[in-house]
Amino acid sequence: MDPFLVLLHSVSAGLSSSELTDLKFLCQRRVSKRKLERVQSGLDLFSVLLEQNELDPERTELLRELLASLRRQDLLRLLDDFDAGATSGAAPEEQDLQAAFDVISEHVGRDWRRLARQLRVSDSKIDAIEVKYPRNLTEQVRESLRVWKNAQREDATVSHLVAVLRACQLNLVADLVEERQQARALQSSGHTGSSSLSQMSWASDVPSSTAF
């Protein structure tokens, strides 16, 4: 079963009728009035957005924006879990970057604007982020990091984030990011070592075919 469709089904089941009305209002510029009139559930709305390529497993920003507007932290956590699962299949560098995003989003708080400016996110984009996620500091931080990552592409690295955090005097957050990276590296090497040890053990248990 498609995990993304399971996510959308769970989100739809958790929406009240008034929240669905709010979502339909927010999607007016994306979905025609005629289509919106036929929307009777969250699944109906998500189906339209999928058909219009406004939503897919690799582009969940719109869904995150809609759920944040409803202030449904429980449904946002479902989305976080899905994104974390999708990230687990990504390249190690991407996984490291997402892990750093998690730490920064959790600990930077109101200093996110200073960090965003140091990352060369424009004031207009910072203002747009505040409008998109009012009174939701965690999502404001995370969105500013996404904007930076999309602008930098392959130049977006954890080491650069750590350097910028220290330039902003956010040394505690920088330390936490580095600690998370070290823990991930140890975990990764531990898995590799266990795998190698298991293979060696298996090989030692195989009877030798050499005649004595």
Side-chain angles (χ1 to χ4, degrees), residues 141-178:
V141 179
R142 192 177 292 276
E143 181 67 9
S144 68
L145 293 172
R146 289 194 199 100
V147 169
W148 166 75
K149 178 177 178 291
N150 290 337
Q152 296 297 314
R153 297 183 182 276
E154 65 274 4
D155 292 331
T157 62
V158 175
S159 59
H160 181 66
L161 275 178
V162 169
V164 172
L165 285 166
R166 296 200 184 283
C168 292
Q169 302 301 310
L170 296 170
N171 291 308
L172 176 59
V173 183
D175 290 343
L176 290 172
V177 170
E178 290 183 329

Side-chain angles (χ1 to χ4, degrees), residues 2-25:
D2 189 327
F4 188 59
L5 296 182
V6 172
L7 168 69
L8 295 181
H9 186 276
S10 298
V11 171
S12 176
L15 295 174
S16 67
S17 58
S18 61
E19 288 172 332
L20 177 60
T21 300
D22 291 340
L23 293 186
K24 289 167 66 175
F25 174 79

Side-chain angles (χ1 to χ4, degrees), residues 59-117:
R59 292 189 304 142
T60 59
E61 293 84 2
L62 175 59
L63 180 59
R64 183 175 294 278
E65 180 180 343
L66 293 173
L67 295 179
S69 72
L70 299 178
R71 302 179 190 173
R72 288 295 302 272
Q73 298 300 322
D74 56 331
L75 298 181
L76 280 167
R77 281 193 289 273
L78 292 179
L79 179 55
D80 286 339
D81 291 342
F82 170 80
D83 285 340
T87 301
S88 66
E93 295 80 5
E94 178 67 18
Q95 294 181 41
D96 288 345
L97 200 58
Q98 291 304 319
F101 282 13
D102 290 342
V103 173
I104 294 170
S105 298
E106 185 177 350
H107 292 93
V108 165
R110 297 185 183 279
D111 290 318
W112 75 270
R113 297 171 191 81
R114 179 153 51 99
L115 175 63
R117 291 189 180 97

Side-chain angles (χ1 to χ4, degrees), residues 184-200:
R184 284 176 54 79
L186 287 172
Q187 183 180 28
S188 177
S189 63
H191 283 316
T192 302
S194 296
S195 176
S196 299
L197 183 61
S198 177
Q199 290 178 0
M200 290 173 63

Side-chain angles (χ1 to χ4, degrees), residues 1-67:
M1 193 174 294
D2 189 327
F4 188 59
L5 296 182
V6 172
L7 168 69
L8 295 181
H9 186 276
S10 298
V11 171
S12 176
L15 295 174
S16 67
S17 58
S18 61
E19 288 172 332
L20 177 60
T21 300
D22 291 340
L23 293 186
K24 289 167 66 175
F25 174 79
L26 293 170
C27 289
Q28 284 185 95
R29 296 194 177 188
R30 297 175 181 272
V31 180
S32 69
K33 182 178 180 180
R34 186 177 65 177
K35 288 183 178 180
L36 283 176
E37 288 174 348
R38 295 201 297 265
V39 169
Q40 300 298 319
S41 68
L43 285 180
D44 290 341
L45 179 60
F46 298 148
S47 294
V48 172
L49 294 174
L50 286 168
E51 290 171 2
Q52 297 182 176
N53 295 319
E54 299 274 2
L55 200 60
D56 64 49
E58 296 181 357
R59 292 189 304 142
T60 59
E61 293 84 2
L62 175 59
L63 180 59
R64 183 175 294 278
E65 180 180 343
L66 293 173
L67 295 179

